[in-house]
């Protein structure tokens, strides 16, 4: 029997989700599937490896079951074979996460992104059982280490145990500890994927092979260029580009990352960001001003860079 595989080399974008005002929809905001499909097409047209719908950035926890499934279907249709779709299948329990993984497989996703059990601080045995159960859906799994949101840290030793499950082929590393790439690679053979935009360069230097990204929603072309420079080992040029982006990238690791990235998208003007559903509220005036300043500074630096290259 062939073991599940998934080529994660490249920039896989954890997609935002567009909403439009509708008094009859949850919180007065309906999912705008047309805009979402257009955004996915925009990302793929700018060289991204694929998309990761229904993650935290896609506000999966605020969606109805019908909305959550249709988002995957729209993403698969919009990618249209040009790359991969890694569906977020997070759930409180393994039975829920497995259900979403089975639907993702049925709807054409190439793999799944999976947190440990949400809303419950699972122990090591429960974490392993969670992944083993979802693996029964038959799709490749990218485990997701986000100890800030789940309160469960997928340490390198635990990652090595998860890697014994054939379907677990990668780990999205979001702890911020760049040393973990080496530790994980010393213990097991699993793809380490950079999961936090503001340590992307450091993780790539240390051996990450892919980028599961947030801010490329706003800067896809530059993100692909940055990733390609790292893969080629053009570290000086990569660092110069990274330095122009890292200030705005830091918002990817802050509590208000969804609102910040959507605002940056609107400022960049290439794709629609728009509002967020509860529990996420609007940015404060101070936060909005800082995101705007960081985004505009990045845009100005990128424009100057293009002139210099030309």
């Amino acid at each position: 029997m062939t073991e599940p595989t998934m080529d994660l080399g490249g920039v896989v974008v954890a997609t935002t989700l567009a909403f439009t005002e509708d008094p009859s929809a949850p919180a007065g905001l309906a999912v705008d599937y047309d805009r979402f499909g257009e955004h996915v097409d925009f990302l793929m047209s700018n060289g991204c490896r694929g998309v990761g719908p229904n993650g935290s950035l896609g506000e999966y926890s605020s969606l109805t079951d019908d909305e959550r499934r249709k988002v995957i279907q729209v993403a698969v249709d919009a990618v249209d074979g040009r790359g991969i779709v890694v569906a977020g299948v997070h759930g409180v329990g393994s039975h829920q996460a497995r259900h979403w993984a089975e639907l993702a497989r049925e709807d054409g996703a190439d793999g799944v992104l999976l947190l440990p059990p949400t809303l419950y601080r699972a122990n090591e045995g429960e974490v392993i059982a969670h992944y083993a159960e979802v693996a029964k859906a038959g799709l490749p799994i990218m485990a997701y280490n986000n100890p800030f949101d789940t309160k469960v840290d997928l340490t390198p030793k635990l990652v090595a145990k998860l890697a014994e499950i054939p379907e677990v082929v990668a780990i999205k590393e979001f702890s911020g500890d760049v040393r973990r790439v080496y530790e994980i690679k010393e213990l097991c053979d699993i793809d380490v994927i950079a999961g936090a935009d503001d340590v992307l360069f450091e993780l790539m230097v240390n051996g990450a092979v892919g980028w599961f990204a947030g801010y490329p929603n706003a800067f896809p072309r530059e993100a692909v260029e940055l990733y390609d420079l790292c893969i080629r080992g053009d570290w000086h040029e990569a660092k110069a580009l990274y330095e122009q982006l890292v200030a705005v990238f830091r918002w990817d690791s802050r509590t208000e990352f969804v609102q910040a990235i959507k605002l940056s998208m609107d400022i960049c003007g290439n794709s629609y960001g728009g509002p967020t559903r509860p529990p996420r509220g609007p940015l404060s005036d101070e936060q909005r001003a800082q995101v705007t300043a960081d985004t505009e500074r990045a845009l100005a630096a990128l424009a100057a860079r293009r002139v210099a290259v030309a």
Side-chain angles (χ1 to χ4, degrees):
M1 182 177 178
T2 305
E3 292 186 356
T5 59
M6 184 165 50
D7 180 3
L8 293 163
V11 180
V12 178
V13 185
T15 46
T16 57
L17 186 62
F19 295 103
T20 188
E21 292 186 7
D22 181 348
S24 66
L29 293 169
V31 177
D32 192 329
Y33 297 106
D34 290 339
R35 271 178 164 159
F36 174 62
E38 291 168 0
H39 180 54
V40 171
D41 179 67
F42 164 69
L43 297 173
M44 300 308 299
S45 298
N46 277 275
C48 295
R49 172 74 183 115
V51 295
N54 284 348
S56 301
L57 191 49
E59 301 179 66
Y60 78 93
S61 59
S62 72
L63 302 180
T64 67
D65 287 356
D66 289 343
E67 289 171 335
R68 187 169 174 179
R69 182 173 191 185
K70 188 170 180 180
V71 164
I72 302 301
Q73 295 169 338
V74 171
V76 171
D77 287 345
V79 168
D80 194 25
R82 292 174 289 174
I84 59 174
V85 176
V86 184
V89 297
H90 318 304
V92 177
S94 58
H95 57 299
Q96 294 151 319
R98 178 178 172 179
H99 167 72
W100 290 115
E102 289 170 343
L103 291 181
R105 182 192 62 207
E106 186 176 326
D107 291 333
D110 300 281
V112 300
L113 178 70
L114 179 62
L115 284 165
T118 60
L119 305 181
Y120 172 67
R121 191 169 186 170
N123 62 36
E124 182 176 288
E126 291 166 335
V127 170
I128 294 170
H130 184 78
Y131 281 88
E133 181 65 22
V134 177
K136 294 176 183 177
L139 283 177
I141 295 172
M142 183 191 302
Y144 181 8
N145 184 34
N146 186 339
F148 310 104
D149 288 348
T150 64
K151 308 304 179 185
V152 176
D153 189 1
L154 300 182
T155 63
K157 288 183 179 179
L158 181 50
V159 170
K161 293 179 180 179
L162 294 177
E164 295 175 5
I165 302 170
E167 288 77 10
V168 179
V169 300
I171 174 74
K172 176 184 176 182
E173 176 47 50
F174 192 78
S175 71
D177 184 350
V178 299
R179 298 169 298 183
R180 289 198 173 189
V181 180
Y182 289 119
E183 295 178 50
I184 292 167
K185 292 171 73 70
E186 288 165 8
L187 294 173
C188 61
D189 181 18
I190 192 172
D191 285 345
V192 181
I193 308 301
D197 294 353
D198 57 341
V199 286
L200 177 277
F201 180 79
E202 295 83 354
L203 288 167
M204 292 297 295
V205 168
N206 287 356
V209 298
W211 182 10
F212 201 98
Y215 249 95
N217 279 285
F219 299 97
R221 183 179 302 175
E222 293 80 9
V224 171
E225 181 183 359
L226 175 56
Y227 174 84
D228 288 345
L229 288 169
C230 290
I231 287 296
R232 292 201 303 265
D234 293 335
W235 299 116
H236 290 293
E237 190 174 350
K239 184 172 180 288
L241 177 55
Y242 181 64
E243 287 174 346
Q244 295 173 344
L245 294 167
V246 71
V248 74
F249 278 6
R250 290 193 190 105
W251 285 98
D252 182 55
S253 296
R254 293 174 179 162
T255 301
E256 301 82 11
F257 71 107
V258 181
Q259 299 95 316
I261 290 173
K262 283 189 164 186
L263 175 56
S264 290
M265 291 167 63
D266 289 332
I267 293 169
C268 291
N270 296 316
S271 196
Y272 177 74
T276 54
R277 266 189 186 166
R280 293 177 175 87
L283 296 168
S284 68
D285 290 344
E286 182 180 359
Q287 290 169 332
R288 188 176 184 86
Q290 189 62 56
V291 173
T292 299
D294 291 340
T295 306
E296 291 179 343
R297 189 180 305 113
L299 286 171
L302 292 171
R305 180 175 182 270
R306 284 192 291 270
V307 171
V309 171

